[in-house]
Amino acid sequence: MSADKIQVKVTRIVDVAPKIKEFTLVGVNRTLPEFSPGSHVMVEMQGQEKTYRNAYSLLNDALDSSEYRIAVRLQDESRGGSVYMHQSVKEGDVLSVTPPMNLFAPLWHAKKHLIFAGGVGITPFMSYIPEFLRQGVNCELHYMFRGLQTGAYQEVLQQELKTTLFIYDADKEQRCDIKEVLKCQPLGTHVYICGPEKLVEGVEQAAIELGIPLSVIHSEAFAAPKPGTPFKVEIKSTGQVVQVGEQDTMLEALETAGLAIPNLCRAGVCGQCSCAVEQGDLDHRDNYLSDSEKSLGAMVMPCVSRANSERIILDI
Amino acid sequence: MQSEAPSAVTSRPVYAPIIIDSCSDNDVFICENLMSEQMQSLYLKSKCPAKTALCITSDDTDIAVDGVAEKPIKFQKISDFLGSLPSLVKPMTLRSRVYLEGSEPFMWRLYGMFLAQGMVAEQINMQSPVSNKRSLFCTHCFSVTDDVTTTVAPCSGCGRLLHVSDHFSKRHAAYFCYQVNAEDPNDVPQVQELT
Ligand code: FES
């Protein structure tokens, strides 16, 4: 990891939904750094065969950093991180985390915050809401999930938001009419989305159809890097060839090969891991590069992106 | 005396032709003085369920416009209009649009007022300015001098002779200006018309 690691002890693990476990972490012989609403930490997990690094939002009120709480959903298409957290991590274990980083802070000047959360995508908003309540700013949450799998924290949200919480359980055939919700939002509203890509796209599409400027729409696609076809990366400066396996990200493979690539989010958002590309057909999966940069193919974000060709050459 | 401006910073706004947004639920057209034919045709093109035409004029000109169904609402000064702004924006949403016409300082002052009400830049459309009048922001005394059509021009606050740059401040609705003859106050450069 690029930032200094912090050793934390897992003091409590609770089930907060059928497929979501909440972990409480406290610093080992140190106090934890303070954080702002919307922050996340990267958790490093020492698996048997490899090291997993996953980003998790901090759930607690940002006024209290005596402990960190994170929620982990057992992912259906997991590359191992969430399975490791669910099955191998026990109370009393020590893990490494990065200091908190914030790539999804709310717009503090907004007159109203309108939130769409899908499943475990509720997590970054858990730290927003106490601060919104303290500031007395208008906040409306539309929370969509499958009750047989996710849907954590409904009670606490109900207590906090009361009539401005709207719950949709797809397992009970409850659906959110996103367009209807967006239609009459007053000036000064900012819209936040966290959840599956389909939700992000759905809200953006509805906004476009309604003529709502995309500059008021903010999203955090929490999708972890997806597996893909194996390929080889050649390092131009040394000639070294690194194999990227089906379940590895390019960044993980480079790190395992001893190459230190700066990184922050490991989710294709921050742009820190950007590598120059000498040659190769790329499968861009990040949200950092623009469409024209992607089609140019001169840069790649190895934390999420892959190759379409068998081999690519990185100019690093 | 340098003959060329020491800084060639250009951040002049560019005004693209206006297209009426058919998704809008509330269109507001605001003109400085009379509504031009171009603005009238935009007003007529808008099929928005709620639309309002406003004119801000400092004289007694009759602002009635043929073809514009309701007579535009008239305000004598921007400050009068400011008082009515909260009730104007109350029914507006993220889908609403504002269309502005007038001099550059006029439009950008209104732009700032609408931003303060929560609107975002994409919701505010401006016609090309109807005159070359600029407001100047003096970087020495922070005064704003209105209705300037030349560079160099004296600052209304401190009297310094100012070079008018092309560096526009959206926040101040004015161009940044600095003293042209700080080294030698007797050096008075040629006055040029602004474009
Ligand atoms: S680490 Fe943030 S984009 Fe790759």
Side-chain angles (χ1 to χ4, degrees):
Chain A
M1 273 186 257
S2 302
D4 287 344
K5 288 185 244 175
I6 303 168
Q7 300 291 107
V8 291
K9 189 173 181 171
V10 180
T11 55
R12 214 160 68 101
I13 304 175
V14 284
D15 292 322
V16 289
K19 286 200 174 184
I20 304 178
K21 280 185 193 295
E22 182 191 291
F23 298 77
T24 302
L25 314 170
V26 297
V28 175
N29 300 327
R30 60 163 292 170
T31 53
L32 294 171
E34 293 183 355
F35 64 96
S36 53
S39 298
H40 71 270
V41 292
M42 193 82 67
V43 179
E44 189 174 289
M45 297 156 267
Q46 214 59 61
Q48 274 188 339
E49 281 166 22
K50 63 190 264 195
T51 305
Y52 302 106
R53 294 183 183 90
N54 286 3
Y56 296 110
S57 298
L58 295 177
L59 298 166
N60 34 323
D61 185 343
L63 276 193
D64 176 16
S65 57
S66 61
E67 58 183 29
Y68 291 161
R69 286 189 295 118
I70 57 169
V72 180
R73 184 207 197 285
L74 187 60
Q75 297 292 345
D76 303 327
E77 262 187 71
S78 174
R79 297 179 316 110
S82 74
V83 175
Y84 182 89
M85 287 298 284
H86 270 249
Q87 292 171 3
S88 305
V89 175
K90 304 276 176 279
E91 288 180 357
D93 283 0
V94 171
L95 297 170
S96 285
V97 301
T98 55
M101 291 166 261
N102 200 340
L103 297 171
F104 195 46
L107 280 282
W108 294 112
H109 65 270
K111 295 184 192 295
K112 175 179 175 180
H113 303 280
L114 174 66
I115 300 172
F116 292 97
V120 75
I122 191 65
T123 52
F125 305 123
M126 297 302 290
S127 60
Y128 279 22
I129 293 167
E131 189 56 39
F132 291 162
L133 294 176
R134 271 193 291 276
Q135 295 190 3
V137 51
N138 201 348
C139 165
E140 182 179 317
L141 169 61
H142 295 264
Y143 184 18
M144 290 153 255
F145 52 82
R146 304 197 74 96
L148 299 176
Q149 299 176 2
T150 59
Y153 308 118
Q154 290 176 58
E155 272 177 33
V156 44
L157 291 167
Q158 190 70 63
Q159 280 164 14
E160 288 176 327
L161 295 172
K162 303 187 176 69
T163 55
T164 57
L165 171 67
F166 300 87
I167 280 178
Y168 312 88
D169 182 349
D171 285 332
K172 293 184 184 155
E173 303 300 323
Q174 297 164 344
R175 307 266 168 214
C176 172
D177 186 342
I178 292 171
K179 218 167 164 180
E180 205 49 43
V181 173
L182 286 174
K183 216 162 112 186
C184 299
Q185 293 300 329
L187 289 185
T189 304
H190 278 261
V191 182
Y192 310 89
I193 323 156
C194 184
E197 244 165 84
K198 245 174 65 194
L199 174 66
V200 177
E201 284 166 10
V203 176
E204 286 176 350
Q205 188 53 37
I208 291 168
E209 284 166 21
L210 289 166
I212 293 176
L214 289 179
S215 66
V216 303
I217 314 272
H218 316 280
S219 65
E220 177 163 82
F222 67 84
K226 299 228 171 58
T229 319
F231 60 99
K232 288 190 174 66
V233 181
E234 184 181 321
I235 310 303
K236 189 183 168 196
S237 56
T238 60
Q240 188 181 0
V241 176
V242 177
Q243 175 71 35
V244 183
E246 189 182 322
Q247 297 293 328
D248 301 323
T249 67
M250 196 188 325
L251 180 61
E252 286 167 351
L254 294 170
E255 285 171 340
T256 310
L259 292 148
I261 312 283
N263 64 86
L264 266 182
C265 68
R266 301 179 85 93
V269 180
C270 72
Q272 279 284 311
C273 67
S274 160
C275 291
V277 180
E278 173 79 12
Q279 189 186 312
D281 184 5
L282 302 162
D283 175 8
H284 292 285
R285 300 179 175 186
D286 62 280
N287 293 314
Y288 181 78
L289 294 174
S290 66
D291 288 346
S292 59
E293 286 170 323
K294 284 179 183 169
S295 59
L296 210 64
M299 296 300 237
V300 69
M301 301 294 147
C303 60
V304 288
S305 297
R306 304 184 69 86
N308 289 323
S309 47
E310 275 175 28
R311 192 186 186 95
I312 62 168
I313 304 175
L314 293 186
D315 188 4
I316 54 173
Chain B
M1 172 67 214
Q2 297 139 307
S3 58
E4 287 295 310
S7 153
V9 176
T10 302
S11 61
R12 286 192 75 173
V14 177
Y15 302 90
I18 293 183
I19 298 164
I20 290 287
D21 197 312
S22 58
C23 300
S24 172
D25 60 353
N26 194 334
D27 282 345
V28 174
F29 297 79
I30 307 180
C31 307
E32 184 178 28
N33 300 320
L34 292 184
M35 202 181 216
S36 71
E37 271 178 33
Q38 210 182 354
M39 197 66 154
Q40 287 174 48
S41 97
L42 287 174
Y43 180 89
L44 293 170
K45 263 194 207 132
S46 160
K47 297 284 171 272
C48 195
K51 57 177 178 177
T52 315
L54 305 169
C55 292
I56 301 176
T57 171
S58 47
D59 58 29
D60 291 329
T61 325
D62 180 12
I63 53 163
V65 178
D66 293 343
V68 174
E70 321 85 67
K71 185 172 169 167
I73 303 163
K74 180 172 164 175
F75 292 92
Q76 289 302 133
K77 288 196 266 348
I78 283 201
S79 52
D80 293 345
F81 167 70
L82 194 54
S84 70
L85 188 57
S87 57
L88 179 72
V89 298
K90 198 153 186 255
M92 295 179 97
T93 71
L94 291 178
R95 303 167 59 197
S96 308
R97 295 289 185 273
V98 166
Y99 299 91
L100 302 175
E101 177 179 70
S103 65
E104 199 165 49
F106 170 84
M107 293 192 291
W108 286 95
R109 259 166 222 168
L110 287 172
Y111 172 89
M113 291 175 190
F114 279 101
L115 287 197
Q117 296 293 327
M119 216 165 224
V120 290
E122 297 96 310
Q123 292 178 276
I124 306 170
N125 300 280
M126 297 182 205
Q127 296 268 36
S128 284
V130 294
S131 75
N132 62 346
K133 282 182 191 163
R134 297 192 193 187
S135 290
L136 313 186
F137 180 84
C138 175
T139 48
H140 307 283
C141 75
F142 305 159
S143 302
V144 173
T145 307
D146 288 325
D147 298 337
V148 176
T149 56
T150 60
T151 181
V152 296
C155 169
S156 60
C158 63
R160 286 180 174 93
L161 205 51
L162 299 176
H163 167 81
V164 181
S165 81
D166 273 342
H167 186 23
F168 186 72
S169 159
K170 292 181 180 175
R171 178 198 277 252
H172 296 292
Y175 288 86
F176 283 114
C177 298
Y178 47 84
Q179 187 174 7
V180 75
N181 53 2
E183 307 260 310
D184 176 7
N186 294 323
D187 185 0
V188 179
Q190 215 185 344
V191 175
Q192 288 172 356
E193 271 305 300
L194 288 165
T195 51

